[in-house]
Amino acid sequence: MFAVEGISSGTYRYDAIRHGLVPVEADLSRGQLERLTHDQRFFTASGFGVVTTAQTERMAWKYPHPRAYRLMFHNVGHMVQVFSMTACALGLGAAITGAFRDSETEEVLGIAGTSEIPTFFLAAGIPKRNNDGLPLSIRIHGAATTH
């Protein structure tokens, strides 16, 4: 978390039993997140970032056949789409990427191995907008923009 009202800046993990955020020791900076995502600039000004992981052993238990792997990524895709739609509904800009440094991400998250794997990096925040209401990064051909 970088700039979320009501939540202290820091790094958290989701606790499914408590259905809430729990602080973790490793505090990831914007720079570290940028490095992990090959400097895609998602975290330079975002309000918060999320790293999703999948627990392969849980999926294998739930679906004890080869289809488990496919269903795991199918579920990840649904979750990422819901993140994007929810951000949009809240007036936030969202950025999503599956391009990240796998081994370094696993090391930073403390999940090296095969029982839990990182799947996506997500970021959201309040976008800076042009006078027409569109984010600064959006340009409509022939339209004048002023900041």
Side-chain angles (χ1 to χ4, degrees):
M1 300 289 174
F2 303 117
V4 177
E5 192 174 307
I7 300 177
S8 298
S9 181
T11 302
Y12 299 82
R13 71 173 176 82
Y14 175 73
D15 184 329
I17 305 255
R18 291 182 180 91
H19 189 52
L21 299 176
V22 177
V24 297
E25 283 186 37
D27 196 12
L28 297 174
S29 69
R30 291 178 191 272
Q32 287 172 301
L33 289 168
E34 287 297 340
R35 172 164 168 63
L36 292 173
T37 57
H38 302 283
D39 300 310
Q40 294 179 68
R41 302 186 49 84
F42 290 165
F43 301 99
T44 57
S46 63
F48 66 95
V50 176
V51 181
T52 62
T53 64
Q55 296 182 342
T56 57
E57 290 177 355
R58 184 180 294 169
M59 287 301 288
W61 170 82
K62 187 174 180 180
Y63 302 103
H65 43 74
R67 190 169 191 76
Y69 191 69
R70 187 178 325 164
L71 288 169
M72 179 179 66
F73 285 109
H74 184 81
N75 289 345
V76 169
H78 280 289
M79 192 281 311
V80 169
Q81 186 64 43
V82 168
F83 177 90
S84 182
M85 291 186 302
T86 302
C88 181
L90 294 172
L92 302 174
I96 300 166
T97 187
F100 56 86
R101 300 173 192 274
D102 291 88
S103 298
E104 290 179 42
T105 299
E106 290 171 3
E107 185 178 326
V108 166
L109 296 177
I111 60 170
T114 58
S115 64
E116 187 173 9
I117 58 172
T119 55
F120 271 90
F121 276 68
L122 319 167
I126 301 170
K128 294 179 182 176
R129 299 185 182 275
N130 290 312
N131 291 340
D132 61 7
L134 293 173
L136 292 178
S137 61
I138 304 297
R139 302 277 191 263
I140 296 178
H141 184 67
T145 59
T146 58
H147 306 285

